[in-house]
Amino acid sequence: MSQQLNATLSGQAPAALAEDVSLATPLTAPRITGRDAVSATLGTYQQALAAPEATLRLKGDQVEGIVYSASPDGRPTEIVALARFDAAGLITTIDAYGRPWPFMALLRETIAKTDPALADPDLGTGPYAPEGPSPVWVAHPHVPPLAQDVILYSPILSEEPTGKAVVGPVLKAAAQSFSDLKVRTVLDVEGRSAFAVVIDEFVDGHVQQLVEIFTLDEAGDVAEIRIFTRPWRVTAHFRQRMYTLLKDLLGPEFWEGPDPQNPLPQ
């Protein structure tokens, strides 16, 4: 695991950031711009997560990233941060995604105590579309079949659906809850038989951004799917749609947090 990248994404090495670096956080819609502001925001997340562990390294031609795992207040929470670099090796953009939504809601409450602006879910006046460099869309990679004992680490559920008979219908419901999926990039996972796909898709007219990590078993089937999303408010729309489709399949233990039948949280 790159110690330099880890330190930078933890807010501890601002000199590795370009002066005009920008950051998309898991919780808020507008990008944060400028070395000092971005480094301070990364440090706020590091503190709120209570020193998270860097568990996975993602690598692509132009993008590198780290998955962070933590359990603030005993709630397993994960964030993936993806970085792009300029010719001098300085980080120019960081895009961060989180999971699962109900535990990110608790993280949002903690972050609001330090900087309320970093917890503001406002999407603006129109349908949300991400800021930043224009993407060059790529083809979606082939995804192998699900293993019989596959585990889904969902972006919206507080428990993990397990087994092909359950995960399959959950993924089918997800496919019915978004439209116009496009792929930004595909990344390798260092030291594992796994790959990550960075995606934009539309939910209720808004763009939801995702990172999906597929881990394969010895037979080459998908043993684990780990999905991160941003921004938090758009994922709330997605969670409502998914609840309507899955409430008869998944019990209340999967829907911890605000009632998905209530109005979207502010």
Side-chain angles (χ1 to χ4, degrees), residues 22-36:
S22 70
L23 165 66
T25 80
L27 295 173
T28 53
R31 296 188 77 90
I32 297 166
T33 303
R35 177 184 288 161
D36 291 343

Side-chain angles (χ1 to χ4, degrees), residues 138-164:
V138 301
H140 198 295
H142 169 70
V143 177
L146 300 179
Q148 289 298 326
D149 56 352
V150 62
I151 302 174
L152 173 62
Y153 294 87
S154 166
I156 61 166
L157 301 173
S158 50
E159 295 287 343
E160 289 77 46
T162 301
K164 185 175 180 179

Side-chain angles (χ1 to χ4, degrees), residues 129-214:
E131 303 169 349
S134 298
V136 177
W137 307 113
V138 301
H140 198 295
H142 169 70
V143 177
L146 300 179
Q148 289 298 326
D149 56 352
V150 62
I151 302 174
L152 173 62
Y153 294 87
S154 166
I156 61 166
L157 301 173
S158 50
E159 295 287 343
E160 289 77 46
T162 301
K164 185 175 180 179
V166 178
V167 173
V170 173
L171 296 179
K172 181 178 179 180
Q176 296 172 344
S177 301
F178 66 80
S179 62
D180 299 327
L181 182 151
K182 295 181 178 180
V183 176
R184 286 179 173 261
T185 190
V186 180
L187 306 170
D188 293 324
V189 180
E190 191 173 77
R192 295 200 179 189
S193 179
F195 61 93
V197 187
V198 184
I199 290 170
D200 285 9
E201 62 189 26
F202 280 88
V203 177
D204 289 347
H206 301 286
V207 175
Q208 178 173 243
Q209 299 190 283
L210 305 89
V211 177
E212 300 181 340
I213 300 177
F214 298 90

Side-chain angles (χ1 to χ4, degrees), residues 72-98:
D73 299 319
R75 312 285 181 160
T77 306
E78 294 184 304
I79 286 178
V80 58
L82 305 180
R84 287 183 176 269
F85 301 81
D86 63 16
L90 298 176
I91 293 176
T92 58
T93 64
I94 302 170
D95 292 87
Y97 311 70

Side-chain angles (χ1 to χ4, degrees), residues 178-265:
F178 66 80
S179 62
D180 299 327
L181 182 151
K182 295 181 178 180
V183 176
R184 286 179 173 261
T185 190
V186 180
L187 306 170
D188 293 324
V189 180
E190 191 173 77
R192 295 200 179 189
S193 179
F195 61 93
V197 187
V198 184
I199 290 170
D200 285 9
E201 62 189 26
F202 280 88
V203 177
D204 289 347
H206 301 286
V207 175
Q208 178 173 243
Q209 299 190 283
L210 305 89
V211 177
E212 300 181 340
I213 300 177
F214 298 90
T215 300
L216 310 183
D217 62 17
E218 293 182 356
D221 295 334
V222 175
E224 177 184 296
I225 308 171
R226 196 174 296 268
I227 305 176
F228 306 75
T229 60
R230 70 162 306 277
W232 183 79
R233 181 63 185 266
V234 178
T235 303
H237 286 262
F238 181 67
R239 182 171 178 259
Q240 279 194 338
R241 283 177 166 264
M242 290 287 282
Y243 179 79
T244 299
L245 295 170
L246 295 173
K247 60 185 178 181
D248 294 331
L249 175 67
L250 302 178
E253 68 273 17
F254 289 91
W255 306 101
E256 185 175 339
D259 188 339
Q261 300 180 93
N262 289 342
L264 294 176

